[in-house]
Amino acid sequence: MDVDELRLLLTREGLALLDRVEAGLGERDVVREVARLRAEGHDPRLVAAVLTQARLRRRAAARFGEFAGAMLFTEAGLEQATRLRVAAHHAGRMREAGIRSVADLGCGIGADALAFATLGLEVTAVERDEATAALAAYNLAPWSARVVHGDALETPVDAEALWFDPARRDGATRLADPADWSPALDAVFARAAERPAGVKLAPGIDRALLPAEAELQWVTDAGETVETVVWTGALARAGVPRSALVLSDAGAAELVGEPQHPEQGELGEWLYEPAGAVIRAELIGALAERIGARGVSDGIAYLSADAHVETPLAQAFRVRETMPLDERRIAQRLRELGIGELEIKKRGADLDPAALRKRLKLRGDERATLIATRIGGRHRAILADRP
């Protein structure tokens, strides 16, 4: 969205049209809706902006819940925005540390700033893109928040804590160079050392880029690993070098500790797949100790145990049987068992689950999970069930 489109949208006519279109868009064809709105005499640019916003609000409901219907978005802003439940965790960390004011430096559409403000923190949100800053100002208008159009690193702010969400530079895919980020990570970490700060990064970032003196936290939300956060100063907990946080509708679970590998052993009755945050934080060994499990093969993230332990930090599978990782043997066994619905997972095995499922030509009323991995260094197929 460019600034001219945004100016049209932020008029009384534009916002009223958005509310009217959003309310009935699901019942009408988009092409006909465009024609109808233009026939009413609305500016074509406003029509395009309104329909885009109505579509984005529908998509945003999964991230922002009831807040989505009162917010404005850009495609990129929505894609990069922190999920509301995760942002609430960031805000809770700030409040628990006694922080009363925070500067969100590079606020995007204002997702984290919104969470900070709803918990009563005074918020200064800085965004260098003019249109995005205007959207953030609209989204934050009901709260105690000030939005500044400026550079994240150069804009002076008076706040007790800082929050950064640097973006990947266009075309950057390696995430192994500080310059792959905007602002560059070296500059962000230097600023974050000045006062308590949180720096949100992609979960796959090269760990060698992260400062050793900070608390490093990986976060999984609703089964998807969504971020790495570097906490500094009073926002970093004493004695917690790394942590893995798993969020779901049932609440939050956390594992803390030093990176460690689990002891290896035999495959038992139960197989566990640690949450992505646990794997990224290299806390698989700590999880194994917590649930009384062991590794199944060097370099493989699966754990195994003889008894079932319920934990939100891992998915559990009850092992039916194992067999060689041979497609013909697998297909024959699945036919014998009448398995027509098959979930396929893999670690340490070179196969395409979608292509394999198609070649297996599944038939039957039963369901199961097939796990292709290494057990004791040998490729094996595990047939299992979710409890």
Side-chain angles (χ1 to χ4, degrees):
M1 177 180 293
D2 61 31
V3 175
D4 290 338
E5 287 180 336
L6 184 59
R7 289 196 179 104
L8 288 171
L9 182 62
L10 291 177
T11 61
R12 181 175 298 178
E13 175 198 0
L15 293 173
L17 186 62
L18 172 57
D19 289 340
R20 178 160 64 90
V21 168
E22 185 184 12
L25 186 60
E27 304 170 3
R28 295 191 289 266
D29 178 83
V30 174
V31 175
R32 292 182 181 178
E33 185 70 358
V34 171
R36 185 181 69 81
L37 293 174
R38 288 187 176 180
E40 290 179 2
H42 298 292
D43 188 313
R45 293 174 300 169
L46 176 59
V47 171
V50 163
L51 289 172
T52 295
Q53 285 302 316
R55 176 174 54 83
L56 290 175
R57 277 183 171 179
R58 286 175 177 267
R59 282 175 48 194
R63 275 186 193 220
F64 294 97
E66 62 185 23
F67 287 97
M71 297 176 69
L72 298 176
F73 304 93
T74 64
E75 290 274 1
L78 177 56
E79 182 68 26
Q80 297 168 7
T82 305
R83 303 178 186 195
L84 185 59
R85 182 162 58 197
V86 180
H89 158 71
H90 302 154
R93 170 79 73 115
M94 294 276 182
R95 188 169 68 175
E96 289 169 8
I99 300 298
R100 293 168 297 179
S101 60
V102 57
D104 186 347
L105 302 178
C107 69
I109 61 171
D112 279 297
L114 175 65
F116 298 145
T118 57
L119 284 191
L121 279 68
E122 294 182 13
V123 178
T124 300
V126 179
E127 173 55 47
R128 70 176 182 177
D129 179 76
E130 183 179 3
T132 304
L135 293 182
Y138 178 88
N139 294 337
L140 294 168
W143 311 100
S144 178
R146 179 173 68 98
V147 178
V148 178
H149 175 215
D151 183 88
L153 293 177
E154 296 178 1
T155 302
V157 292
D158 181 18
E160 295 176 352
L162 305 177
W163 177 257
F164 293 92
D165 186 359
R168 304 181 214 191
R169 293 189 185 276
D170 291 342
T173 57
R174 295 175 295 123
L175 304 182
D177 185 331
D180 287 343
W181 303 82
S182 178
L185 289 190
D186 289 347
V188 170
F189 290 147
R191 189 82 183 272
E194 298 173 0
R195 66 189 92 174
V199 182
K200 172 191 167 186
L201 301 164
I205 186 170
D206 186 340
R207 299 181 192 88
L209 297 179
L210 305 178
E213 64 275 10
E215 178 189 340
L216 310 179
Q217 182 175 63
W218 282 262
V219 181
T220 293
D221 178 57
E224 182 181 354
T225 303
V226 293
E227 66 181 25
T228 307
V229 183
V230 176
W231 297 106
T232 70
L235 291 169
R237 294 169 293 180
V240 180
R242 292 193 182 191
S243 59
L245 180 69
V246 177
L247 304 174
S248 68
D249 292 341
E254 189 176 33
L255 187 66
V256 303
E258 296 277 4
Q260 64 183 97
H261 299 292
E263 293 185 5
Q264 304 300 304
E266 299 293 326
L267 178 66
E269 185 177 352
W270 291 89
L271 187 77
Y272 293 89
E273 181 179 28
V278 175
I279 296 172
R280 291 286 185 184
E282 299 179 307
L283 294 177
I284 301 172
L287 176 60
E289 289 183 359
R290 177 177 291 194
I291 64 175
R294 54 201 175 256
V296 298
S297 193
D298 287 334
I300 298 296
Y302 290 130
L303 298 171
S304 186
D306 301 317
H308 181 214
V309 177
E310 190 71 36
T311 175
L313 297 168
Q315 298 181 71
F317 302 87
R318 189 165 195 164
V319 176
R320 285 199 202 184
E321 58 185 89
T322 63
M323 64 190 87
L325 189 55
D326 178 271
E327 189 172 320
R328 286 180 293 181
R329 292 276 298 275
I330 293 170
Q332 178 182 346
R333 187 59 177 147
L334 295 178
R335 286 194 298 270
E336 292 171 354
L337 295 171
I339 294 173
E341 184 177 338
L342 186 69
E343 174 188 26
I344 302 176
K345 303 178 75 67
K346 67 166 187 172
R347 285 191 181 277
D350 184 16
L351 59 83
D352 180 343
L356 174 60
R357 182 181 294 104
K358 185 176 181 179
R359 293 195 301 271
L360 290 173
K361 300 178 181 178
L362 302 168
R363 297 185 186 87
D365 299 324
E366 299 298 317
R367 67 171 64 180
T369 298
L370 182 73
I371 302 168
T373 188
R374 295 197 306 270
I375 304 295
R378 299 171 56 197
H379 282 103
R380 303 288 287 175
I382 303 171
L383 196 61
D385 299 295
R386 289 182 177 272

